[in-house]
Structures are given as structure tokens and as C-alpha cells.
DNA sequence: CGGACTACGTGAAACGTTATATCATGAACA
DNA sequence: TGTTCATGATATAACGTTTCACGTAGTCCG
């Protein structure tokens, strides 16, 4: 084989197969073509080891087989596992993934969305912290965890149901006095509903519930102060705590043990949210409400690649589940 | 502004600025051009909100401002943080990142490398588990943790020094009898040197050292069996264990505590490798030898983007450090 | 048997860049 | 003042696809 060191083009394939350029294009794109022609072209492609140039294709047509994925970072295990799932789903469909980290910066995120739009990606999957994201109607965009309105599909876990489930599990395990701890942006996004669900669960079960919600940027000591206010004579007012995040659950657990000498789960039970596992998915770091990452990823990809304006639901809400992780009695 | 709903092209900018197409191209690419012209073009770009089409550019020229990054997955925190750092470094240089997960599959990895090569990325950064990776000389490739020979630059931590440091730290903390545990592929890659460094450290300090090395795919119970063989009358033969990975350190720690009732670090001290932190970098999961992820990322990007055939060293070895994480006495 | 229709492969145009050859302008020198 | 150069903008030809109007051959039916 005379490897002429240059990457073969469609023209080379056409010459090799003795057919016209357009015919090769059709074969490559799965457009029906005469059996005999198809075989000749396929043989030539094989022989020359031809691969379609995504740049030429992207320039000429509107299909680039590329999807942009934007999350704040890959440090948080929730984000990185989510991106891992999305990547899996995309590559199964022969799509490429252009990755962007936004670092929670709304401006940069907006910039990246505009960039991706003008770069003609086939779609954008975005976990956004920008409340008023400007998007072009030309490029399909799917949002995770933030609902922008009917024109932008949003995929999220059943945060409300998850909050409720947390309350139910704590009460099932014998808790009589619950607390909810949350730190986060003031933005209203889907995860906020965890609180509402938790409150609803507490009310339905007739269990008292105290909330402590602090803004992003506030130091964690605000939580420790809160807990110490409710700590008298070696006893905490609460016997069950729902933390908005596994990461927070871990911090709170540590504080309760180290600062107040409490035992977890004997004295206080804790439930987190996300379903983050450590060490290559070997174990849960705390009892938690698990988000269905594979399902979220699959829905995002499905939505972003299917033509817009369909009868697609604007908000897809996926079921969560409870997982024992040692910080509850069961 | 008459937003004609179509993305503006260089031609539009040229018309708007009253200059020729080539002039716009020069301005965009920073090629010197008359002051007056440059200002007119820049104004037009601003006004039309023009962005260069990476597809057209990629088709025409050899620069695509895109780098492919390949690691096995984004589940392991070591990989995801590494990719996070690489992404940071790339976006600081206005490069885009095409991400591929190889799932430890040599065939898929080879396929992806070929794909990336033919897709004309400007470079490939690859953490490979394929011992005989075929690479084209046309596309710069930088390997992490695996040395393929002088023609492919390799970036890695100082694994040998890290192994040695682990031995020193354990002995410093009073250990008299050490063990080394490793699970991994039979492939020879840089991380293998952790063992050699550890052995060298033990010899230099005149401390006995036992090795237990099992192949990838072997169940962890092989380690538990090994440890129990060395467990007599409630005492373990070793008072210091070096695990090849933080993840393994965590598993071993748990086994020692739960299966043998030993205390860590009072009875046995453990050191891992990688410097993996949990919960958004809040804490180390064990005492560990920390790999300099930012430096690794910076070197990879630097190498992959700088023209080949330079007097670039074939193997870059970056200094590691020790971090206390609770499984040693200090 | 012939006209019209169908089916399908062909070849050229176009996508938005970059690179190169060309051309106009003005400066410098004899 | 005429010739030569240097400077730098302009125009144009690729890059490798997809798309579409076109042409050719085969089919069907009256």
C-alpha cells in the first residue's frame, strides 16, 4: 500500500472505487445507493482507511457530530461523573464531545454558549449558574437542573421527591426532630425543591423541622454556630439532619463527631443528596438520595440531538432513590 | 443592528469595513496590517459580533485550536482532576478540548488516536494503557505516565522519588517493618517505579520490606489473604504499608480496621499515592504522596502545543510531595 | 414500439477560511 | 523626471465535504 503520507480524501476514494464524488458521500452518510456501488465504495474506504473530515463536513453542512458540554468543573465528583455518563452516551452515538468548564462564572458561561453557537456544534448540554442565559434558537440547548422556560428543555432529578424521601427515611429510622441544612446560590433552580419536598414530607409525617439556609460564600462556621445553638447538655435538638449535598453531609458529620462528641448514626442521623461515591464507586460516603446520572445523561443527549419544536416536554424529572451509606441506621 | 439571523462571515466583516477579505484574515490572525485598516476591521468585527469559524479554519489550514484529551474515564478522581487541570491550561491558551474516554480499552484507544489524527486536532494528550500505541508523526502526541520512546514525549510524576519518600516518611514515623501493595496491569509504565523507589528507600534506611503485587483483575481478597497470613496473635507483621494508590490505601485501611481490629495509624500506618482529595478538595482521604496535577497538565499542554523535534526532553519527571491525611502519625 | 416517467449516479457549486500571487502606491535614486 | 524597489492591500485558488440540478438508462404502459 503506497502510503502517500497524506490523509485520503473522498476524491481518492471515488477514484479508487471508480465512482463519482457524490456517490461516496452518499455511502458515507448512509443514503441508499446501488448495492454494487456501495460495495465498491466500502471496499475503497477500507483499503485507503478513509475517514471523513469533520472540518470539511462541519463547514459545508450543518451537522458537525459534535456536542458541547458545559459544567462548572470536573473537581466535584457529581459533575465529573455526570460528564462521564454524557460522554458515554455521546460516543455510543458517534458524537464527539467538546468540553468546557465554566468555573461558576456566568459571564464566561455566556461567552462559551455564544462561542459554541457560532462554532456550529450540533447542540449544547449545560449545567448553568447563569440565571438569564441568552441562547440562540438555532442551536439546541438542554439545561440540567435549571429551568429557563418552555423553550429550553430542562433535565433534572426529582428533587422534590428526593427531599420528601429524605424526610420519610429519617422518620422511618426513628427520628423525631429534623433539620435541613443548605448552602447555595440565591438563584432558583431545581435543586431548591429539595427543601420544599423535605418540608412537605415533614408536614405529612407530622414531624417538626428546622431550616438553616445560608448563601453561597458564607463560611461553613455559620452551620457550626447554628448547630451549637441547638446543642444543650451534650444533646442536640435534632436527631435527623438532611443536608442538601453529600459533600455538606460529610462536613456536618465530621463537625458533629469532632466538635460535639456526638455519634453518627446513633445520636444523629444524616442524609445527603447526590449519591456521590468514593474510590471508583466502591462505596457511598454517606446515606444519600441518589441522582440517576445515567438517566440524566441519556435524556440530555436524547433531547439535544432530537429535532426541536417537537412535543418534547419542557421539564424532565427523573426518579431518585435512597442509598444507605452508614450515616443512618438503615 | 439588522440581525439577519445568519452568522456573520469574514466576507461580511470585509464589506462592513470596506477592506478585502485577506485583510480581515490578517487582523484576525494577528498578522501586522496598516493601523487604519486594523481599526476599521476591529470595529466591524465588534459591530457584527463576528467569530471565526473553526470548521472553515480547520479545513483550510492545519491549525484547529483543538486538542484531544484521552483518559480511561472521569470516574476516578485522579483522572477527572487531571482533565480539569488540562482543560484549564488549554482554555487559558484559547484552545478547545475534545474529550475521549477510553475505558482502559487498548483497541478503542488506538481507534480514537487514529480518529483524532485524521480529524486534524492540533495535538493529543493521552493517558494510555495500550503498550504498543501506533501514532502518526504528523500529530503531536504527549503521553502521561507511559514512556513510549524518545519520539513521544512523556510527562509523569517522580514515581521513583515518591516511592522513596513513602519509605522515608514511614520510617520517620517509627515504622520498623514495611510492606508494599500493588494491583495493576502487567504493563510497564512509569507508576511501576513507585515500587523500585520504595525498595531503594527501604534498603537505604535498612528496613525490611515485603512486596505483594497482584495483577489487574485479581480480586482484592488476595490482599486480605496476604495480610492475614502476616497476622498472628492480634499483631500484624508490618507497622507501615505503602499502597500504590490512594484508592487502595482506603480499602486496605478499612480491611485492617474492620477485619483485624487494628488501629490506624496507632498499630499500622498507611501511605497512598496520588493525592486524591474528597468533597471538593476539602481533605485528603489518607496520608499520601501527592502528584503535581497542575504541573503535569501545564507540561503536557506546553509540550503538545510547541513544535516537535525541538530539543525537548523525552521524559519529564515532576516532583511529588508528602501530605498528611490521618493514616500516619504525622 | 415509442413516449413519459422513474431511479439513480454524476459533477459542479458552495460552505468560510488561509495562503499566495498579483497589483497599486509611493519612496528613493540616478 | 523616469526607473526601480519596497510596502502592503487585493483578488483568487485551494481545503474536503454536502447538496442539487442534470443527464442517462431502464421501466412501464398504451
Amino acid at each position: 500500500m503506497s502510503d502517500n503520507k497524506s490523509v485520503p480524501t473522498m476524491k481518492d476514494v471515488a477514484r479508487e472505487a471508480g465512482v463519482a464524488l457524490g456517490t461516496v458521500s452518499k455511502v458515507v452518510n448512509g443514503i441508499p445507493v446501488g448495492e454494487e456501488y456501495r460495495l465498491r465504495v466500502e471496499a475503497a474506504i477500507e483499503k485507503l482507511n478513509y475517514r471523513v473530515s469533520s472540518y470539511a463536513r462541519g463547514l459545508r453542512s450543518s451537522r458537525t457530530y459534535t456536542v458541547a458540554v458545559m459544567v462548572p468543573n470536573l473537581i466535584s465528583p457529581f459533575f465529573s461523573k455526570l460528564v462521564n455518563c454524557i460522554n458515554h452516551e455521546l460516543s455510543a452515538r458517534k458524537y464527539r464531545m467538546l468540553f468546557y468548564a465554566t468555573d461558576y462564572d456566568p459571564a464566561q458561561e455566556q461567552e462559551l454558549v455564544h462561542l459554541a453557537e457560532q462554532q456550529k456544534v450540533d447542540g449544547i448540554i449545560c449545567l448553568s449558574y447563569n440565571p438569564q442565559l441568552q441562547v440562540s434558537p438555532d442551536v439546541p440547548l438542554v439545561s440540567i437542573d435549571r429551568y429557563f422556560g418552555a423553550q429550553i428543555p430542562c433535565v433534572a432529578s426529582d428533587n422534590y421527591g428526593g427531599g420528601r424521601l429524605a424526610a420519610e427515611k429519617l422518620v422511618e429510622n426513628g427520628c423525631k426532630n429534623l433539620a435541613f441544612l443548605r448552602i447555595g446560590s440565591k438563584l432558583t433552580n431545581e435543586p431548591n425543591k429539595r427543601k420544599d419536598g423535605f418540608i412537605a414530607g415533614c408536614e405529612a409525617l407530622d414531624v417538626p423541622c428546622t431550616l438553616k439556609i445560608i448563601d453561597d460564600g458564607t463560611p461553613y462556621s455559620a452551620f457550626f454556630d447554628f448547630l451549637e445553638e441547638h446543642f444543650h447538655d451534650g444533646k442536640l435538638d435534632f436527631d435527623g439532619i438532611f443536608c442538601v449535598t453529600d459533600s455538606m453531609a460529610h462536613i456536618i458529620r465530621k463537625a458533629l463527631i469532632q466538635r460535639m462528641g456526638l455519634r453518627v448514626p446513633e445520636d444523629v442521623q444524616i442524609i445527603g443528596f447526590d449519591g456521590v461515591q468514593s474510590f471508583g464507586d466502591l462505596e457511598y460516603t454517606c446515606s444519600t438520595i441518589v441522582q440517576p446520572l445515567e438517566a440524566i445523561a441519556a435524556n440530555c443527549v436524547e433531547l439535544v440531538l432530537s429535532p426541536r419544536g417537537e412535543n418534547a416536554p419542557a421539564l424532565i424529572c427523573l426518579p431518585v432513590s435512597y442509598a444507605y451509606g452508614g450515616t443512618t441506621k438503615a
Side-chain angles (χ1 to χ4, degrees), chain A residues 55 76 175 258:
Chain A
Y55 287 97
S76 154
C175 295
Q258 295 185 349

Side-chain angles (χ1 to χ4, degrees), chain A residues 173 253 257 263-272 283-288 322-330:
Chain A
N173 279 308
R253 172 175 166 274
I257 293 174
R263 292 168 304 165
V264 176
E266 292 82 356
D267 301 326
V268 197
Q269 299 185 58
I270 304 176
I271 290 186
E283 59 182 27
Y284 286 101
T285 56
C286 61
S287 297
T288 186
Y322 171 77
Y324 171 75
T327 57
T328 50
K329 290 183 180 160

Side-chain angles (χ1 to χ4, degrees), chain A residues 29-164:
Chain A
N29 291 291
I31 296 166
V33 87
E35 175 80 0
E36 181 196 355
Y37 284 82
R38 209 196 65 227
L39 292 177
R40 285 227 302 278
V41 170
E42 285 172 349
I45 288 177
E46 181 74 20
K47 177 172 177 195
L48 299 180
N49 188 27
Y50 164 80
R51 288 263 183 37
V52 51
S53 152
S54 46
Y55 287 97
R57 167 181 279 172
L59 173 59
R60 177 55 227 238
S61 76
S62 43
R63 303 291 296 205
T64 59
Y65 290 91
T66 305
V67 169
V69 173
M70 295 174 24
V71 300
N73 59 57
L74 289 177
I75 291 177
S76 154
F78 176 70
F79 294 145
S80 58
K81 284 174 190 176
L82 178 60
V83 173
N84 193 74
C85 291
I86 292 174
N87 180 69
H88 235 88
E89 198 72 34
L90 284 173
S91 64
R93 301 180 187 224
K94 302 286 179 204
Y95 272 73
R96 312 185 302 169
M97 180 176 119
L98 220 36
F99 175 78
Y100 296 99
T102 67
D103 270 325
Y104 291 103
D105 178 358
Q108 193 176 346
E109 195 185 293
Q110 179 67 76
E111 169 66 15
L112 291 177
V113 166
H114 280 156
L115 191 73
E117 283 172 354
Q118 304 207 5
Q119 299 285 352
K120 287 211 293 185
V121 295
D122 286 353
I124 302 174
I125 296 174
C126 171
L127 200 159
S128 171
Y129 281 82
N130 184 333
Q132 52 242 113
L133 198 63
Q134 305 277 329
V135 305
S136 139
D138 300 333
V139 181
L141 185 144
V142 171
S143 167
I144 301 174
D145 270 0
R146 174 175 296 283
Y147 181 68
F148 286 97
Q151 72 284 7
I152 299 180
C154 171
V155 176
S157 298
D158 180 6
N159 288 284
Y160 184 90
R164 200 168 167 125

Side-chain angles (χ1 to χ4, degrees), chain A residues 180-184 212 214 220 223-224 241-255 270-274 286:
Chain A
F180 172 76
L181 304 185
R182 179 169 108 82
I183 187 170
K212 178 64 181 179
I214 66 179
Y220 265 77
F223 284 131
F224 305 151
I241 299 180
F242 175 41
C243 297
V244 78
T245 283
D246 285 345
S247 158
M248 177 183 304
H250 181 260
I251 294 167
I252 296 302
R253 172 175 166 274
K254 211 167 149 187
I270 304 176
I271 290 186
F273 206 109
D274 280 348
C286 61

Side-chain angles (χ1 to χ4, degrees), chain A residues 16-31:
Chain A
E16 174 73 29
V19 303
L21 206 54
T23 306
V24 179
S25 176
K26 282 179 186 163
V27 172
V28 167
N29 291 291
I31 296 166

